[in-house]
Amino acid sequence: MPTRTADAEWQGDLRQGKGTMRVGSGAFEGSYSFKSRMGDETVGTNPEELIGAAHAGCYSMALSNALANAGFTPTRVHTTARVHFNQVPSGFAINPIDLETDAVVPGIDEETFQKLAQDAKENCPVSKALAATPINLKATLIK
């Protein structure tokens, strides 16, 4: 399996500095700053947003795979990840991550869907990498 890369560069001090993050494939490059991470600045990204994108993408694929392995072909799986970045006594922490997914899956019943959705949350590689962080799941089957 390939090794994926990403890099980041920061210039200046924490509050006034600025940085750039990019993924190795070249598919994304974006700026980030103290304000885009700690405040309401909408120009630029932040590490938590990128973690959220990775988690939502990985979970959607994991759920699609779990459904297919159970004999169901999803028409659509859409996941939103809300990554909470909070101050804690020791500094800052990502805690929790809320995954909200909805899926169109012909022929599946609610109980089976919920079981597979939960299993995908536990077995998604990004969820496993973030095991120290509480991950909440709300899964909705669209009929």
Side-chain angles (χ1 to χ4, degrees), residues 24-25 38 70:
S25 68
M38 308 297 278

Side-chain angles (χ1 to χ4, degrees), residues 44-86:
T45 190
N46 54 70
E48 293 73 31
E49 191 173 59
L50 297 176
I51 287 170
H55 203 178
C58 185
Y59 178 79
S60 291
M61 290 178 77
L63 179 54
S64 292
N65 186 54
L67 290 162
N69 286 341
F72 302 98
T73 303
T75 304
R76 175 182 161 279
V77 175
H78 176 265
T79 305
T80 299
R82 290 178 180 80
V83 179
H84 299 264
F85 186 57
N86 299 305

